[in-house]
Amino acid sequence: MSTPLDSPDSGGLATLDRELEELIREENIEPGDHERFSHYVKKDKILESAITGKPVRALCGKKWTPGRDPEKFPVCPQCKEIYESLVS
């Protein structure tokens, strides 16, 4: 009979560490102009992110954890174009 201590990489903190490392890698993959814009994200996802700290994905594909005032930045042109095509 095995115990959780016999295989420390099978779950628990090791799994959380791997998931966190993956999220960090994903966020580092997206350099460039994305940081200069406000992005379109579903309101419920923004609320969920505020509560859990979980990253969100914008219409344009950018993935990040919101934390700045979107009113201070222009709207992402890709997000705007996608949004307008959805509501038209």
Side-chain angles (χ1 to χ4, degrees):
M1 180 176 195
S2 67
T3 67
L5 295 176
D6 293 336
S7 52
D9 289 336
S10 65
L13 290 178
T15 300
L16 291 174
D17 287 343
R18 282 194 306 274
E19 290 174 1
L20 180 58
E21 287 172 7
E22 179 64 26
L23 286 174
I24 291 169
R25 272 195 299 277
E26 286 178 13
E27 287 187 44
N28 288 334
I29 292 174
E30 301 186 25
D33 289 344
H34 284 295
E35 298 305 319
R36 299 186 325 184
F37 297 113
S38 294
H39 296 274
Y40 288 6
V41 178
K42 290 183 178 180
K43 286 182 183 181
D44 62 327
K45 296 296 182 184
I46 293 173
L47 178 59
E48 179 183 343
S49 177
I51 294 169
T52 65
K54 206 171 139 181
V56 296
R57 185 171 302 274
L59 287 178
C60 68
K62 175 181 174 41
K63 189 173 183 179
W64 84 108
T65 304
R68 60 184 187 165
D69 182 2
E71 298 292 323
K72 295 181 179 179
F73 300 90
V75 173
C76 168
Q78 288 178 306
C79 283
K80 186 175 182 177
E81 183 180 324
I82 294 167
Y83 178 78
E84 288 174 352
S85 73
L86 294 173
V87 294
S88 298

